Amino acid sequence: MALTLILIVAVLVIFLLSSVRVVRQGYVYTIERFGRFTKSANPGLHIITPFVDRVGQKVNMMEQVLDIPGQEIITADNAMVGVDAVVFFQVLDAGKAAYEVHNLYGAIMAITTTNLRTVMGSMDLDETLSKRDEINARLLGVVDHATSPWGIKITRVEIKDIRPPLDISEAMARQMKAERLKRAEILEAEGERASRILRAEGEKQSAILSAEGKKEAAFRDAEARERSAEAEAQATRAVSDAIAQSGNQAINYFIAQEYTKAVGKFATSPNAKTILFPVEATQLIGSLGGIGELVREAIKPAEGAQPPASPPSNGVPLPRPRTAVPRTGDDNR
């Protein structure tokens, strides 16, 4: 009796253990009844019918990455390149991923590889090297559309590496070097051109300013000469008016004044040790007396009276000016 009870308890324990299933987070279990898919078990605790239901496949629902091995691809211009890629995908429907395709990872790898050859084989080498984003976008659209019946979503397809042949790499390096040298020469020529233009502009501005300065200087010089001529004309008119009013007396006055200045220059000459006057000294004294007489006669009309007699010079009266008579060589002796 006790043995029977123990057997019954053991059977109950086994029955309970076989009916309880715990699904981990990030996974979905498929439940099969007599080998037929019935439902998907989400993360958590689940009760199934023992000996009737069983767990079919444990499907990973997290986003996964699949590394595509290196491929040798011939481009449209017959260049052989090596390409590595990676694919990011996520299972959305566990039932389809488990039962619509066999070996999900192998299927994704195969379809990505074939489409990679198709897309890059339709492009030139330069396009494959410079248009990675376009290649990624085209691959993503094609592979995602092809794998949608499997209940998965292709999130990203990335070209990891493109390896052109060695000779093409060397040619590309030489081309890049030549292009950079060309750019450097163009920039240097543009800099030289800009420098010459700026230098020419500076010389032009300098010439313009110099011409304007010369023009202004000439204008001011002409204006100064014009004013000097006007002042000379006014002085000449004043002298003419004085001569017209006073007659020979004004002429004698100016002549005597200039004569006195000329004689005074002989005394101040730095190189002359012996002074030979062209006239007698008494003529200079008479000239001074004549100047005084002219001044007195010019003042007399204003005062209305006879001017006083000239004061004697050392007790000797000053002689009146007389007309100069040319002298001969005998007189000089």
Side-chain angles (χ1 to χ4, degrees):
M1 184 66 181
L3 182 60
T4 303
L5 183 60
I6 292 173
L7 291 175
I8 293 172
V9 172
V11 170
L12 291 175
V13 171
I14 294 172
F15 182 82
L16 291 175
L17 291 177
S18 61
S19 64
V20 176
R21 290 291 183 270
V22 178
V23 181
R24 293 180 299 168
Q25 183 67 37
Y27 287 84
V28 172
Y29 294 173
T30 60
I31 305 300
E32 299 176 355
R33 178 168 292 178
F34 299 113
R36 181 182 179 182
F37 172 71
T38 56
K39 67 176 181 177
S40 298
N42 294 323
L45 179 65
H46 294 271
I47 303 297
I48 62 175
T49 304
F51 309 109
V52 176
D53 297 335
R54 71 181 186 89
V55 176
Q57 295 189 22
K58 300 177 181 180
V59 181
N60 188 349
M61 304 298 291
M62 296 178 288
E63 185 173 4
Q64 303 174 65
V65 58
L66 184 62
D67 191 5
I68 306 300
Q71 303 292 321
E72 297 293 333
I73 299 175
I74 300 176
T75 61
D77 52 353
N78 298 323
M80 184 73 70
V81 294
V83 181
D84 295 335
V86 290
V87 178
F88 295 84
F89 69 95
Q90 186 176 13
V91 177
L92 302 179
D93 192 333
K96 291 182 178 181
Y99 300 105
E100 292 294 334
V101 62
H102 177 67
N103 189 5
L104 178 63
Y105 298 104
I108 295 174
M109 185 181 298
I111 198 169
T112 303
T113 301
T114 55
N115 283 281
L116 181 62
R117 292 177 179 273
T118 302
V119 171
M120 296 190 65
S122 63
M123 305 174 68
D124 295 335
L125 177 62
D126 293 338
E127 293 179 339
T128 59
L129 296 175
S130 61
K131 296 183 178 180
R132 292 196 179 190
D133 292 339
E134 182 179 346
I135 297 173
N136 295 336
R138 291 175 61 181
L139 279 175
L140 177 61
V142 173
V143 176
D144 183 57
H145 178 71
T147 56
S148 58
W150 303 342
I152 63 175
K153 173 67 177 175
I154 305 297
T155 57
R156 297 182 68 181
V157 178
E158 295 289 342
I159 300 298
K160 188 166 61 175
D161 187 22
I162 299 178
R163 300 179 301 276
L166 181 59
D167 55 346
I168 296 179
S169 299
E170 293 177 355
M172 292 173 61
R174 291 194 300 269
Q175 180 183 2
M176 180 183 65
K177 182 178 180 180
E179 185 67 23
R180 293 185 179 276
L181 290 176
K182 174 185 175 182
R183 292 180 182 178
E185 291 178 357
I186 291 174
L187 291 176
E188 184 177 358
E190 290 180 352
E192 182 67 21
R193 175 175 172 269
S195 176
R196 290 182 179 179
I197 290 174
L198 292 176
R199 191 179 297 110
E201 288 290 337
E203 293 176 356
K204 175 183 175 182
Q205 294 295 331
S206 177
I208 291 174
L209 293 176
S210 178
E212 290 180 353
K214 291 180 180 179
K215 176 183 176 182
E216 183 69 19
F219 175 77
R220 302 226 177 238
D221 189 21
E223 185 178 3
R225 290 198 303 269
E226 180 181 358
R227 292 183 179 178
S228 177
E230 290 179 356
E232 186 69 21
Q234 291 179 0
T236 303
R237 284 196 297 269
V239 172
S240 299
D241 293 340
I243 292 173
Q245 293 177 4
S246 302
N248 294 331
Q249 295 179 355
I251 295 175
N252 293 332
Y253 172 77
F254 287 116
I255 293 174
Q257 185 179 13
E258 295 299 326
Y259 180 79
T260 304
K261 293 180 180 179
V263 172
K265 291 181 179 179
F266 282 103
T268 60
S269 177
N271 298 323
K273 296 182 179 179
T274 303
I275 301 175
L276 298 177
F277 290 95
V279 294
E280 296 83 352
T282 57
Q283 290 183 342
L284 176 59
I285 299 173
S287 298
L288 294 176
I291 293 172
E293 186 68 24
L294 290 174
V295 173
R296 286 194 297 270
E297 290 181 1
I299 298 174
K300 179 172 65 175
E303 295 179 352
Q306 294 293 331
S310 299
S313 175
N314 296 327
V316 179
L318 293 174
R320 295 179 61 85
R322 56 184 176 180
T323 303
V325 178
R327 301 180 64 87
T328 63
D330 297 334
D331 294 336
N332 292 331
R333 290 193 299 267

